[in-house]
Amino acid sequence: ATTEIYTLSLHDALPIFKALKDASDEVIETLVAGNKEARKVYNSYRRFRDESLQTMAVAEQSYLNVRAELAKS
């Protein structure tokens, strides 16, 4: 798979990401269905969101492990 890089100014990207954050995946899928550029932005957002959620889950689990070990002491 190839990775394509698109550059958006912060001014252009923030409103898009704010709107995506507040909308459901089903609504967004409908909105971007016929727009290739919107689909690329949305796919990038989903990857970022999913990776962020994974990172937070790992960090939370690590925190809980450390608390459990400290409680044993």
Side-chain angles (χ1 to χ4, degrees), residues 6-20:
Y6 295 89
T7 303
L8 287 175
S9 70
L10 189 57
H11 179 265
D12 291 334
L14 282 177
I16 295 169
F17 283 115
K18 285 179 183 176
L20 292 173

Side-chain angles (χ1 to χ4, degrees), residues 1-71:
T2 61
T3 302
E4 296 180 38
I5 298 173
Y6 295 89
T7 303
L8 287 175
S9 70
L10 189 57
H11 179 265
D12 291 334
L14 282 177
I16 295 169
F17 283 115
K18 285 179 183 176
L20 292 173
K21 182 181 74 110
D22 295 334
S24 71
D25 285 341
E26 294 81 21
V27 168
I28 296 169
E29 288 290 339
T30 302
L31 292 173
V32 301
N35 186 320
K36 186 177 179 182
E37 294 304 313
R39 165 69 59 195
K40 289 175 186 175
V41 170
Y42 178 56
N43 288 341
S44 294
Y45 165 76
R46 282 183 35 192
R47 280 192 301 276
F48 172 77
R49 180 194 64 193
D50 295 346
E51 289 170 4
S52 296
L53 291 174
Q54 281 182 324
T55 300
M56 287 189 312
V58 168
E60 182 178 359
Q61 187 60 47
S62 297
Y63 172 75
L64 293 174
N65 290 342
V66 168
R67 283 193 63 186
E69 288 299 317
L70 290 173

